[in-house]
């Protein structure tokens, strides 16, 4: 589909008033598609769930989603697994999410975090957010334990 296909899809959905979920996993889009989707996400009053997984949106793509989510009050779930995110990208995304009160699930499975302290510290203030990670990865098990400890103290 690519960036142009995402633009065509969003153009076709412009008048849609009942769309609650959009799955564009594995559609070979990059920053252009991410920008289009982030803009659409913030103009839609009904979109609750968005899956952008398995696309190469890059650091700039995560940034536009973070900026959009900092003011979005509708989306409750974002799946962005297997999008080549790093600890720095995820930490910045979580910081951008702090004003957001609607997003409750951020799914980042298939990302191997090596610095769980950084992620745990970033998400510590956003207790309504469920961060989904792959349990078998050692770092993610450590992150889950740290997050459980942070949340039990509050």
């Amino acid at each position: 589909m690519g960036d142009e296909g995402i633009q065509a899809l969003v153009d076709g959905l412009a008048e849609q008033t009942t769309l609650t979920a959009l799955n564009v996993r594995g559609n070979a889009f990059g920053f252009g598609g991410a920008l289009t989707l982030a803009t659409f996400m913030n103009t839609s009053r009904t979109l609750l769930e968005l899956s952008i997984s398995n696309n190469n949106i890059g650091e700039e793509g995560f940034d536009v989603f973070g900026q959009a989510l900092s003011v979005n009050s509708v989306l409750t779930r974002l799946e962005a697994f297997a999008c080549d995110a790093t600890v720095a990208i995820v930490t910045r995304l979580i910081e951008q999410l702090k004003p957001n009160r609607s997003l409750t699930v951020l799914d980042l499975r298939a990302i191997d975090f090596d610095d769980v302290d950084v992620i745990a510290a970033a998400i510590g203030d956003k207790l309504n957010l469920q961060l989904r990670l792959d349990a078998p990865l050692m770092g993610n098990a450590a992150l889950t334990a740290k997050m459980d400890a942070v949340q039990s103290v509050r």
Side-chain angles (χ1 to χ4, degrees), residues 1-10 22 24-25 27-43 47 50-69 72 75 78-80 83 89 93:
M1 182 179 282
D3 292 342
E4 292 175 3
I6 293 295
Q7 184 64 58
L9 174 67
V10 167
L22 181 60
V24 290
R25 281 186 212 150
N27 277 286
F29 65 86
F31 172 73
L35 182 59
T36 299
L37 286 167
T39 302
F40 173 72
M41 180 182 72
N42 273 352
T43 58
L47 187 64
L50 177 61
S51 178
I52 60 169
S53 298
N54 295 308
N55 288 290
N56 189 19
I57 65 171
E59 185 172 349
E60 291 97 2
F62 274 101
D63 278 344
V64 297
F65 277 107
Q67 292 166 13
L69 285 166
N72 182 283
L75 199 75
L78 176 63
E79 291 183 358
C83 287
I89 291 170
L93 177 64

Side-chain angles (χ1 to χ4, degrees), residues 51-108:
S51 178
I52 60 169
S53 298
N54 295 308
N55 288 290
N56 189 19
I57 65 171
E59 185 172 349
E60 291 97 2
F62 274 101
D63 278 344
V64 297
F65 277 107
Q67 292 166 13
L69 285 166
S70 71
V71 296
N72 182 283
S73 62
V74 179
L75 199 75
T76 61
R77 178 186 188 90
L78 176 63
E79 291 183 358
F81 55 86
C83 287
D84 297 327
T86 64
V87 169
I89 291 170
V90 172
T91 301
R92 190 168 52 252
L93 177 64
I94 291 170
E95 286 297 320
Q96 291 171 312
L97 287 175
K98 287 189 177 177
N100 180 295
R101 295 292 172 236
S102 63
L103 190 73
T104 56
V105 177
L106 177 59
D107 190 339
L108 298 172

